Amino acid sequence: MLEVVFSGRSAPAGTVKVIPMFVDKAVRADCLSEEEAKLVKKAVKQADFTGQFGTTLEVFGGRSKIVLTGIGDGENDLILQRVGSKLFNCLYHDEKAYIAAESDNIGRQLAFGVLIGSYSFDKYKTEKTAQDFPKLEQIIVKAQDEAKSKEDFKPCVAVATVLRYAKDLCNEPASYLTPAVFAADIKRLEYLGLDVEVLDEKALHLKGLGLVEAVAKGAAEAPRVVVVSWRGRRQQKTYDLGLVGKGICFDAGGISLKNSNGMLEMKMDMSGAAAVVAAMKAAALQRVRKNLIAVVGLAENMPGPAAMKIGDIYTSFSGKTVEIINSDAEGRLVVADCLAYLQKNYPVKKIVDMATFGSLKSTFGSFYAGLFANDDKLAKQLLAAGEKSGESLWRMPLDRRYEQMLLSPVADMRNLEADGKGLIASAAFLNRFIEKGVRWAHIDISGVRRAKTGLASGFGVRLLDELIKEL
């Protein structure tokens, strides 16, 4: 990852100079030589550059390249981060860049955006030339208070690091990221001070996580459930927040087989688990003074000879029985068992699960994830965290009447409503597994898990990081 340093000194010789510019305001030229200032003034006039958000102007002819970047008409952190993310492309072939901003915060936020924008996933590309790789190695940020800027930037580094981690997990092919490999990768995070327990196939059977077992019956790869805990308040026995993530490492739909187009993103059906684990990693990196507990269910949903059949009935960890109406409604089964296991074994009264059940993209585009909650206060906390992180949520109704759609004549419930539609019913299904007195929210990120580039978006990581900080 790029190195970001803060300095009160002038730009080193030969370093690209980046100058943020507010809309219709004069360019601040205190980091420019007289010759460079004249070049910039001329270029701005010729290009009619006004500093609109996301626009850039590259100026050549001086001692080094100069990049003017428009940051709009106000000091908004999210806008500055987006500008920084786009700025990376302008600096792709430069080794060092010097950001000369009007305030320390503007410089920090732009540098944070550059870190986010520098992400790539090219480990499987074999024909790249030297020109295809970025040369940028260091961002120098002009700072009036070097020590404070460095300290304030630590959370940005942590979040950028875990965003890369979550995206890498989601972008890996399912042939590599099996449940066992995913679980082993999470286990490795113990070096940060996290406690990690991996439940293998035998442990799942002995403990009675029947729904997780059912989903994995058709797969050659055995399932795993992983419990991750962080105790930032060791004197406190209870947990401030519980997290649950859906980790279907590949979802073919089981015998309710998806069509070929429907499988295109199914290696990312573990995006909820990736976001949850990344949020736990962020908490450890930042030494958050909270107690957190997470459970992620990892499995593959394949149409093998032992796959669960339509009409089968399975017993969940909670003891409730579920009739299988559609094997492609498997994520809710895994999440339900994980929710029940979390509540049964750990003292936690506030839980958020993150999953990819049914796409809201046709309704919200790629701008919002769906939020379901049984508690207004928790819902408001999540909505606020979404606004602050830039990962917006839209609250959906959660009504007991939807549970009537899940009634089964032969079991406690079905895994899908009778008409096979209705995203709300999937949340209603999970609600059946929430114990009395537990504040719970379900977030569906299926419509936002993928960025325009085709790579994973990492949605949910920053949202959960903000929620944890504001608890």
Side-chain angles (χ1 to χ4, degrees), residues 315-367:
T315 303
S316 68
F317 177 81
S318 71
K320 295 181 173 67
T321 55
V322 180
E323 180 190 10
I324 305 303
I325 298 300
N326 187 313
S327 66
D328 196 23
E330 86 298 332
R332 65 196 67 184
L333 302 176
V334 170
V335 173
D337 253 4
C338 290
L339 284 168
Y341 187 81
L342 175 61
Q343 294 169 93
K344 175 73 173 179
N345 292 285
Y346 301 94
V348 60
K349 293 297 182 182
K350 183 187 294 185
I351 298 174
V352 175
D353 78 70
M354 191 166 285
T356 48
F357 285 168
S359 179
L360 292 168
K361 200 166 186 177
S362 60
T363 303
F364 297 138
S366 57
F367 301 109

Side-chain angles (χ1 to χ4, degrees), residues 271-322:
S271 299
V276 163
V277 173
M280 295 295 288
K281 182 177 180 179
L285 286 170
Q286 298 172 84
R287 320 308 290 178
V288 171
R289 294 184 61 80
K290 307 284 170 58
N291 286 352
L292 310 170
I293 182 76
V295 180
V296 293
L298 312 177
E300 291 180 355
N301 185 27
M302 303 293 286
M308 58 182 179
K309 307 173 188 68
I310 307 308
D312 281 356
I313 299 173
Y314 296 98
T315 303
S316 68
F317 177 81
S318 71
K320 295 181 173 67
T321 55
V322 180

Side-chain angles (χ1 to χ4, degrees), residues 111 117 129 163 182 191 194 228 249 255 291 298 324 341 370 403 461:
T129 66
L163 265 175
F182 196 170
Y191 80 93
L194 292 163
V228 187
C249 296
I255 65 170
N291 286 352
L298 312 177
I324 305 303
Y341 187 81
E403 294 180 18
V461 176

Side-chain angles (χ1 to χ4, degrees), residues 145-201:
D145 190 332
E146 294 179 31
K148 185 177 187 303
S149 291
K150 183 179 179 180
E151 188 65 27
D152 290 347
F153 197 66
K154 286 181 179 179
C156 299
V157 174
V159 172
T161 299
V162 299
L163 265 175
R164 298 176 77 88
Y165 175 70
K167 291 177 182 180
D168 280 348
L169 288 171
C170 295
N171 289 325
E172 284 286 359
S175 57
Y176 169 76
L177 195 76
T178 62
V181 170
F182 196 170
D185 197 85
I186 300 171
K187 183 69 174 176
R188 182 182 58 83
L189 298 180
E190 287 188 324
Y191 80 93
L192 293 172
L194 292 163
D195 291 322
V196 180
E197 180 188 9
V198 178
L199 305 181
D200 61 13
E201 188 175 22

Side-chain angles (χ1 to χ4, degrees), residues 435-466:
E435 297 176 3
K436 186 176 181 180
V438 174
R439 297 162 61 192
W440 162 76
H442 162 64
I443 300 173
D444 192 304
I445 62 171
S446 53
V448 291
R449 66 185 163 199
R450 192 178 184 189
K452 292 179 180 179
T453 59
L455 296 175
S457 67
F459 191 103
V461 176
R462 298 186 65 181
L463 170 72
L464 293 177
D465 180 67
E466 286 294 341

Side-chain angles (χ1 to χ4, degrees), residues 19-316:
I19 304 176
M21 180 176 169
F22 287 106
V23 171
D24 295 328
K25 286 190 177 182
V27 178
R28 289 195 62 179
D30 53 352
C31 74
L32 303 176
S33 66
E34 185 176 344
E35 177 191 5
E36 289 172 328
K38 289 179 180 179
L39 282 171
V40 167
K41 185 176 180 180
K42 182 179 179 181
V44 168
K45 185 176 181 180
Q46 288 179 337
D48 193 25
F49 186 75
T50 60
Q52 294 291 336
F53 162 67
T55 58
T56 57
L57 177 64
E58 298 183 37
V59 182
F60 300 90
R63 296 177 181 176
S64 61
K65 183 172 80 173
I66 300 167
V67 179
L68 303 181
T69 183
I71 58 175
D73 56 6
E75 191 173 326
N76 179 287
D77 287 355
L78 288 175
I79 287 177
L80 291 169
Q81 291 162 23
R82 289 169 188 153
V83 170
S85 183
K86 293 182 178 181
L87 183 61
F88 174 76
N89 292 326
C90 293
L91 306 173
Y92 196 85
H93 295 296
D94 302 297
E95 292 183 4
K96 293 184 179 182
Y98 178 85
I99 298 177
E102 292 189 23
S103 72
D104 287 2
N105 182 63
I106 292 176
R108 284 195 304 272
Q109 299 304 330
L110 286 173
F112 183 26
V114 174
L115 286 183
I116 295 172
S118 67
Y119 177 79
S120 64
F121 188 80
D122 53 13
K123 63 182 285 187
Y124 295 102
K125 289 183 176 288
T126 62
E127 299 179 352
K128 293 186 73 171
T129 66
Q131 288 298 312
D132 295 322
F133 292 94
K135 293 183 179 178
L136 189 63
E137 296 179 350
Q138 187 182 66
I139 298 291
I140 305 168
V141 183
K142 178 184 176 183
Q144 296 179 7
D145 190 332
E146 294 179 31
K148 185 177 187 303
S149 291
K150 183 179 179 180
E151 188 65 27
D152 290 347
F153 197 66
K154 286 181 179 179
C156 299
V157 174
V159 172
T161 299
V162 299
L163 265 175
R164 298 176 77 88
Y165 175 70
K167 291 177 182 180
D168 280 348
L169 288 171
C170 295
N171 289 325
E172 284 286 359
S175 57
Y176 169 76
L177 195 76
T178 62
V181 170
F182 196 170
D185 197 85
I186 300 171
K187 183 69 174 176
R188 182 182 58 83
L189 298 180
E190 287 188 324
Y191 80 93
L192 293 172
L194 292 163
D195 291 322
V196 180
E197 180 188 9
V198 178
L199 305 181
D200 61 13
E201 188 175 22
K202 182 178 180 180
L204 295 178
H205 182 72
L206 291 174
K207 291 178 180 292
L209 281 87
L211 300 185
V212 176
E213 286 187 287
V215 170
K217 281 171 65 70
E221 299 290 341
R224 298 288 190 276
V225 167
V226 184
V227 181
V228 187
S229 64
W230 170 256
R231 301 194 70 89
R233 297 175 178 169
R234 291 198 172 272
Q235 71 281 5
Q236 176 183 300
K237 293 183 179 181
T238 59
Y239 288 92
D240 299 289
L241 179 68
L243 299 172
V244 169
K246 172 190 170 184
I248 301 299
C249 296
F250 191 80
D251 180 18
I255 65 170
S256 302
L257 197 66
K258 296 177 183 290
N259 61 40
S260 57
N261 289 335
M263 290 192 199
L264 184 61
E265 293 182 25
M266 288 304 100
K267 71 175 185 178
M268 294 185 185
D269 210 23
M270 35 60 68
S271 299
V276 163
V277 173
M280 295 295 288
K281 182 177 180 179
L285 286 170
Q286 298 172 84
R287 320 308 290 178
V288 171
R289 294 184 61 80
K290 307 284 170 58
N291 286 352
L292 310 170
I293 182 76
V295 180
V296 293
L298 312 177
E300 291 180 355
N301 185 27
M302 303 293 286
M308 58 182 179
K309 307 173 188 68
I310 307 308
D312 281 356
I313 299 173
Y314 296 98
T315 303
S316 68

